Amino acid sequence: AVDYLLKPIDPQRLRLAVARARRRLARRTHAGTEEAPLTRLLVRERGRAFFVRVEEVDWLETAGNYVRVHVGRALHRVRLPLTQLEARLDRRAFRRISRSHIVRIDGIRELQPWFHGDGLVILTSGAKLRLSRRYRDRLYEAMA
């Protein structure tokens, strides 16, 4: 919040509030405080830790307090909320398709309609995931 405006709105005060918000956004962008998209994920399994490159990930799904990371035939777990992971992924490469799934856009082979506005996302790996109608338009927008 940069200001608190009451009705009737004073046009001058509105202009000042918008200018202040723009300055803050510009400062934040130029200061480099926005995080760069993730390029790799740290996976801890069986007493060892290793990195998985994000560009190799086919899809991600929630699993309790973990996220299952599907990379080809391999399956890894990362202890991180899906929403936090989504915020760090490159939106040009990944999109959420339901409350439980995020897919790599380049890994999508086919989209099929399903029931009540939902759909199926078929990946090049053969996996079939449900596309929620809530996220459908965002996926179509990314693929256009």
Side-chain angles (χ1 to χ4, degrees):
V2 294
D3 204 340
Y4 186 78
L5 303 175
L6 296 172
K7 289 182 181 178
I9 295 175
D10 176 24
Q12 177 61 24
R13 185 156 179 191
L14 177 61
R15 276 192 293 277
L16 290 172
V18 170
R20 191 175 309 122
R22 285 185 176 148
R23 281 194 305 273
R24 282 190 186 180
L25 285 172
R27 240 190 342 251
R28 190 174 78 189
T29 302
H30 289 91
T33 56
E34 289 185 1
E35 296 182 54
L38 277 178
T39 57
R40 57 191 187 161
L41 293 170
L42 178 62
V43 176
R44 292 185 176 108
E45 290 179 353
R46 299 182 192 107
R48 67 186 187 113
F50 58 94
F51 290 102
V52 172
R53 291 189 353 227
V54 171
E55 63 198 35
E56 296 174 349
V57 172
D58 294 319
W59 55 288
L60 305 137
E61 70 176 324
T62 57
N65 293 331
Y66 292 87
V67 170
R68 287 189 191 126
V69 181
H70 295 263
V71 181
R73 294 186 183 268
L75 177 63
H76 307 290
R77 286 189 330 166
V78 176
R79 189 170 175 94
L80 192 67
L82 191 64
T83 53
Q84 187 176 350
L85 192 52
E86 178 186 20
R88 295 284 321 275
L89 290 170
D90 185 352
R91 287 187 42 81
R92 294 169 297 183
F94 288 88
R95 281 297 162 104
R96 193 167 197 147
I97 62 167
S98 70
R99 284 183 50 209
S100 305
H101 298 96
I102 296 175
V103 298
R104 185 172 48 85
I105 295 170
D106 287 345
I108 296 174
R109 182 178 69 206
E110 184 179 346
L111 299 172
Q112 293 179 354
W114 210 27
F115 301 103
H116 308 292
D118 288 351
L120 282 179
V121 175
I122 302 173
L123 303 180
T124 54
S125 66
K128 294 180 180 181
L129 306 172
R130 187 176 71 84
L131 170 61
S132 166
R133 66 178 167 263
R134 177 178 176 197
Y135 296 95
R136 182 187 59 216
D137 292 340
R138 294 178 212 170
L139 178 64
Y140 289 163
E141 164 191 302
M143 296 180 71

